[in-house]
Amino acid sequence: MRSMTLVDSWVQTCSVFNQPKTHYRSFNGLIYKPMNNPQFKPNFLKQTKPVSSFTISAIITREEETIDAEKDQESKDSSTLFNFKSYMVEKANIVNKALDDSVSVKNPPKIHEAMRYSLLAGGKRVRPMLCIAACELVGGHQSQAMPAACAVEMIHTMSLIHDDLPCMDNDDFRRGKPTNHKVFGEDVAVLAGDSLLAFAFEYIVTATTGVAPARVLAAVGELAKSIGTEGLVAGQVVDLASTGKADVELDQLEFIHLHKTAALLEASVVLGAILGGGAPEGVEKLRRFARCIGLLFQVVDDILDVTKSSEELGKTAGKDLVTDKVTYPKMMGLDKAREFAEKLNEDAKQQLSEFDPDKAAPLIALADYIAHRDN
């Protein structure tokens, strides 16, 4: 395997983030764009101009005035500071209530109990929050995106149930609880995942209100692409085929995680933007933002797997090392993996620079949360 510097890896990884401007005839044109486009070009060399400092004489002659101005600014900043913790609690509670209402226990009870067991087991609800925040950023209301937010969480839960199966990653704990197949058996766990996948599409179609049918159709197509052979499934297949191999390169690792992890995160953001009434240009900026944080999420996940305990993570720690899975810390080293995560976070937030700062605040905070989370 050839040696690769961190800059080389950034060139490869960030090559998907910058796409040429695309014009759409209808919102059907918003449906998922291929991840591996040779026309994409890296764009991580931008620098902000340094802020010039006061001269010594200016500081001396206007010391009191400067201090007063700084105090006024601090007061103003503190009054307008976005409270991310309150935002997360508020949105998580709303999403949890919506998820609870969406799947009830009915005949046959066992399969619905299995669906609810994993769907309502907790979790950070990052994907639903991204969906809602993107919707609100482009001027929509969270009610327009809530069914889609629930749908992406249903599909994410399906992927976790299946990922934990003995034939896949063979894990016993998820979100601090026994995995679905440990409680309900492998057969029911498989069917619970299948049921959540099917119901996600039913729910987004039947429960979405106040949105033009063309936008709902575009959202459905986006979601379907993100989890099929151009998305989650593709990443999972290549991941399984790469486990234990010594000749895996960074571009293959990028392919795995852009599909297995980032695709659904990307869909979460894009669905919210489409359903909220976003224009094509804005939707594509948010797509690039989501692609950055999607890969960021996995890089951080890889780092946490080797730096945190099972109790801290709520799932089995060190599993990647035991199963000899290819990860960013393994290929780049822990320090460079952390540097890479910070760069992805910077690039993600750069995509939001042209949006209203107040409306973009939740997405910026979510990017920082993903970059600096502890589990």
Side-chain angles (χ1 to χ4, degrees), residues 39-300:
Q39 293 181 336
F40 298 161
K41 298 181 183 299
N43 184 25
F44 51 84
L45 300 177
K46 293 182 179 178
Q47 297 181 355
T48 56
K49 294 181 179 179
V51 180
S52 59
S53 60
F54 291 114
T55 63
I56 296 296
S57 60
I59 292 175
I60 294 174
T61 57
R62 302 185 62 186
E63 181 178 0
E64 291 184 1
E65 187 176 338
T66 301
I67 292 173
D68 289 341
E70 288 176 349
K71 286 181 178 179
D72 290 342
Q73 184 61 45
E74 286 176 3
S75 176
K76 181 179 178 181
D77 289 344
S78 64
S79 65
T80 59
L81 187 65
F82 176 70
N83 191 328
F84 181 58
K85 184 176 181 180
S86 295
Y87 179 88
M88 283 198 74
V89 171
E90 176 194 348
K91 297 303 183 187
N93 287 338
I94 294 171
V95 169
N96 287 333
K97 176 65 165 57
L99 289 170
D100 192 12
D101 292 341
S102 67
V103 180
S104 58
V105 177
K106 49 190 174 183
N107 195 45
K110 188 173 185 179
I111 187 64
H112 293 96
E113 289 168 359
M115 292 165 67
R116 288 174 59 83
Y117 175 80
S118 293
L119 186 63
L120 304 178
K124 296 173 282 292
R125 308 305 189 199
V126 169
R127 291 158 189 80
M129 287 186 198
L130 287 168
C131 185
I132 293 168
C135 176
E136 293 177 332
L137 174 60
V138 299
H141 188 272
Q142 71 175 13
S143 61
Q144 296 171 293
M146 188 58 69
C150 291
V152 296
E153 191 67 7
M154 291 174 193
I155 291 174
H156 174 55
T157 302
M158 171 277 296
S159 72
L160 299 182
I161 293 173
H162 285 180
D163 205 40
D164 291 334
L165 290 169
C167 63
M168 301 284 272
D169 281 357
N170 190 24
D171 218 330
D172 295 342
F173 293 96
R174 173 72 66 177
R175 292 172 173 168
K177 301 172 64 176
T179 46
N180 198 288
H181 67 274
K182 286 294 180 180
V183 177
F184 296 94
E186 291 181 37
D187 49 359
V188 174
V190 170
L191 294 172
D194 293 345
S195 299
L196 284 168
L197 175 60
F199 186 62
F201 288 97
E202 176 186 341
Y203 194 68
I204 194 173
V205 170
T206 59
T208 302
T209 58
V211 180
R215 288 182 179 269
V216 178
L217 179 61
V220 168
E222 180 83 23
L223 186 57
K225 285 285 187 180
S226 73
I227 60 176
T229 55
E230 295 181 46
L232 190 153
V233 170
Q236 182 69 290
V237 168
V238 178
D239 187 22
L240 290 170
S242 302
T243 299
K245 290 189 175 181
D247 58 349
V248 178
E249 300 251 3
L250 274 173
D251 57 351
Q252 188 169 337
L253 182 61
E254 174 190 308
F255 178 94
I256 291 169
H257 295 312
L258 279 175
H259 291 75
K260 182 179 176 181
T261 302
L264 188 56
L265 282 159
E266 178 182 330
S268 302
V269 172
V270 174
L271 260 64
I274 292 173
L275 295 170
E281 294 80 4
V283 172
E284 289 311 305
K285 285 184 179 297
L286 287 170
R287 184 189 297 280
R288 292 193 290 270
F289 162 81
R291 220 167 268 188
C292 286
I293 64 168
L295 193 55
L296 169 64
F297 192 96
Q298 185 60 52
V299 175
V300 173

